Amino acid sequence: MVKKTPPGAEERSAEREGTRGGKVIHIQPVTRIEGHARISIHLDAEGDVQDARVHILSLRGFEKFIEGRLAEEVPRIVSRICGICPWQHHIASCKAVDGCFGANVPHAGRKLRELMQVMAHLSDKILHFFFLAAPDFVMGIGTEPAERNIMGMARRDPELTQKVVTARYRGQMMMEKFAGKVIHPVVVVPGGFAKPMLERERLDLLAESREQLKFARFAMDYVKEKVFSRFNDELLELGEVATGFLGTVNPHDGSLNLHEGVLRLMKPDGSFEEFAPEDYADFLEEHVESWSYGKFPYAAGWGEGFSMELEEPRGIYRVNSLARLNVCDSMGTPLAQAELEEFRSRFGRPAQSTLLYHWARMIELLYASEKTVELLEDPDITDPRVRDEVTPRAGRGIGCVEAPRGTLIHDYSTDENGRITRANLIAGTNHNLAPINMSVKKAAQSLIRKGNIEESLLNRVEMAVRAYDP
């Protein structure tokens, strides 16, 4: 195995030498993703792709080492699971503890939780698209790896890069100024929120959120003109697989909701069923593969088992931005709704192209920006009653939110002293492990033939992974 250490050209040359004489191509690490991953592409005797696997070290051990801990401590512990989306784990965990203790969160407390979650989405989408994915499109897929990154973009288009960096910084600082910490947050607590929002804080954040919305509108126009207009059939078919989809919608009108609602599970033909997050175990089960540390959730409720065969997948569904746009009936905010209508007029529902995750992600950036303004324009968010008293007790609670990487589920049980006795976590990337493997195999089979291995082809295989934002 030859490690790839981007962006040095010397290492990439060594990689090509190493793969010519072997049966397996290793891409390690997969670059410009938020976690850690390795791709193994298995070739047959003729040099064609026989199989491909994506190895993601998703085992963190949190399900075991929070056992025995006081439940109210856990939301502060599990935020360490992910350095990119600590807010999602923090909030999902608190919702699970609320369920264990039978807590009723006041209206303003729920609003503040949703505000912080949506603001975290906003910063995350800027990070993923512009810092990680965009160099493939702005710099060009065949550009040397040393230039195909955010620093290369800064040299190519300093004005664009300055806008992107400023917007991400502004988003992070908005959260830090109000909540105290933008990474490893502590402000969401069982029963509600740790502090009320003052009127001056609301006005300050509202002014800054309107600046974020201006950036989101600019970003949407930019990517449609400069990036998505180049999405030809070849790109749209890269790693394309036909699957179902899972996401959260409002129960009364089917509109997108990142914070709470019902789970809608859609089959590849567009038909769907809905269920409460508390009932997830009746519809989803977890599969394991001997070659992976990760678990592979699948739609057991469809009664067809689990299979990642490209021609006849069984039980496979996807989460994250494309899934959320496919399952929702509407966006709930005007600018994002207009973009959804254009998206569906071009690609139908459900849209299956893997590269369309990027397009869906930018529509969600617009949604998150509009939603942040909407929440801050509501004066009720400054209601000082943000937290109800909770009493530790034996119980079970399931917290569910839509994280940037997909539906996030925290499922806890507590004893009579409020200590965790059992925990099950399903993160967004867990849901997507099976389809990521399928997309990589599909991309590799279409690109690598008769042992012809070029750096630009391997980058295209990586692009199929990046689209999922694992």
Side-chain angles (χ1 to χ4, degrees):
M1 179 176 68
V2 179
K3 292 186 178 180
K4 184 173 68 175
T5 309
E10 184 177 343
E11 287 80 359
R12 298 185 76 83
S13 177
E15 171 197 75
R16 288 196 292 271
E17 291 298 321
T19 57
R20 282 175 184 154
K23 298 283 186 181
V24 181
I25 305 166
H26 292 293
I27 304 176
Q28 180 183 2
V30 177
T31 56
R32 288 184 282 121
I33 61 172
E34 291 171 1
H36 303 281
R38 170 169 60 93
I39 295 173
S40 300
I41 302 173
H42 299 250
L43 304 182
D44 61 19
E46 285 73 39
D48 294 329
V49 175
Q50 187 176 48
D51 200 359
R53 293 171 179 172
V54 180
H55 303 271
I56 294 176
L57 189 60
S58 63
L59 178 65
R60 296 289 187 270
F62 279 80
E63 291 167 326
K64 293 305 294 182
F65 64 67
I66 64 174
E67 287 183 2
R69 304 295 300 232
L70 292 171
E72 61 263 33
E73 295 178 345
V74 175
R76 300 192 298 273
I77 296 172
V78 297
S79 64
R80 269 70 177 174
I81 290 175
C82 178
I84 301 298
C85 55
W87 281 94
Q88 317 298 331
H89 285 283
H90 185 52
I91 294 170
S93 179
C94 267
K95 292 173 77 171
V97 178
D98 290 341
C100 291
F101 294 170
N104 292 310
V105 179
H107 178 72
R110 297 162 72 99
K111 288 284 186 184
L112 289 173
R113 287 181 176 189
E114 182 176 10
L115 174 68
M116 301 312 293
Q117 189 196 349
V118 174
M119 288 170 67
H121 262 269
L122 201 161
S123 293
D124 186 278
K125 293 181 195 311
I126 296 172
L127 171 67
H128 178 262
F129 184 79
F130 285 103
F131 286 70
L132 304 180
D136 288 322
F137 307 109
V138 175
M139 304 299 294
I141 297 171
T143 303
E144 284 295 313
E147 282 293 308
R148 199 176 53 225
N149 50 55
I150 185 66
M151 298 309 295
M153 280 180 52
R155 286 185 283 272
R156 173 78 64 87
D157 194 336
E159 183 179 355
L160 168 66
T161 308
Q162 183 176 26
K163 286 182 178 179
V164 167
V165 172
T166 300
R168 162 125 176 114
Y169 177 76
R170 183 192 300 120
Q172 295 293 90
M173 291 304 99
M174 287 169 64
M175 300 178 72
E176 184 166 291
K177 278 190 288 187
F178 174 62
K181 298 177 71 176
V182 66
I183 298 175
H184 301 155
V186 297
V187 75
V188 182
V189 293
F193 208 82
K195 55 169 279 191
M197 177 176 284
L198 303 176
E199 178 63 10
R200 61 174 174 74
E201 291 177 315
R202 184 183 76 84
L203 294 176
D204 286 347
L205 287 173
L206 181 58
E208 294 193 86
S209 69
R210 286 174 174 151
E211 292 300 311
Q212 293 297 77
L213 179 55
K214 287 181 184 176
F215 171 79
R217 298 181 73 166
F218 157 79
M220 193 75 228
D221 291 341
Y222 175 87
V223 296
K224 287 171 70 176
E225 179 185 351
K226 304 289 187 182
V227 176
F228 299 151
S229 61
R230 301 177 190 169
F231 274 22
N232 54 24
D233 290 345
E234 181 185 1
L235 278 178
L236 290 173
E237 292 172 2
L238 181 66
E240 182 179 16
V241 291
T243 70
F245 297 94
L246 176 70
T248 304
V249 298
N250 282 311
H252 60 281
D253 63 1
S255 61
L256 173 71
N257 195 315
L258 299 176
H259 185 63
E260 59 187 348
V262 296
L263 291 174
R264 180 175 283 184
L265 181 60
M266 176 178 280
K267 289 185 175 180
D269 64 6
S271 62
F272 61 81
E273 56 191 339
E274 294 178 351
F275 54 90
E278 292 77 12
D279 298 327
Y280 81 93
D282 295 333
F283 294 84
L284 310 177
E285 292 187 5
E286 298 173 6
H287 173 84
V288 293
E289 292 282 343
S290 60
W291 47 268
S292 175
Y293 289 111
K295 55 187 181 183
F296 296 68
Y298 68 101
W302 294 346
E304 57 189 34
F306 174 88
S307 173
M308 293 188 287
E309 289 296 324
L310 293 180
E311 301 305 320
E312 193 177 359
R314 295 197 296 272
I316 307 299
Y317 64 89
R318 289 187 275 184
V319 297
N320 198 324
S321 54
L322 181 62
R324 288 189 285 261
L325 258 65
N326 276 330
V327 303
C328 77
D329 295 327
S330 61
M331 295 299 291
T333 59
L335 297 177
Q337 176 63 25
E339 295 297 334
L340 176 67
E341 291 172 8
E342 179 182 340
F343 181 86
R344 286 197 173 149
S345 71
R346 299 184 62 169
F347 306 111
R349 181 189 184 192
Q352 294 284 4
S353 169
T354 298
L355 267 288
L356 288 179
Y357 266 100
H358 296 305
W359 200 315
R361 192 164 289 119
M362 295 307 292
I363 296 176
E364 282 197 336
L365 171 62
L366 199 50
Y367 167 81
S369 303
E370 290 183 283
K371 193 68 181 179
T372 300
V373 173
E374 177 186 308
L375 287 164
L376 287 166
E377 285 180 337
D378 181 359
D380 290 347
I381 202 168
T382 58
D383 187 330
R385 184 169 171 263
V386 294
R387 181 183 186 183
D388 269 2
E389 186 176 343
V390 298
T391 303
R393 69 177 193 182
R396 183 184 179 195
I398 296 168
C400 181
V401 299
E402 287 294 328
R405 271 145 289 286
T407 308
L408 171 63
I409 298 171
H410 281 234
D411 178 1
Y412 305 157
S413 296
T414 53
D415 64 16
E416 65 276 11
N417 296 314
R419 292 185 182 274
I420 299 292
T421 59
R422 185 199 64 87
N424 187 46
L425 277 58
I426 304 179
T429 298
N430 286 131
H431 295 284
N432 272 342
L433 274 185
I436 288 174
N437 273 274
M438 293 168 60
S439 287
V440 165
K441 182 177 180 179
K442 178 77 176 294
Q445 285 184 334
S446 66
L447 295 167
I448 300 172
R449 292 175 181 163
K450 306 301 179 189
N452 179 29
I453 304 161
E454 298 176 3
E455 201 289 328
S456 63
L457 298 183
L458 296 180
N459 183 49
R460 287 173 184 265
V461 174
E462 289 184 81
M463 287 172 62
V465 177
R466 281 185 206 114
Y468 288 92
D469 184 20

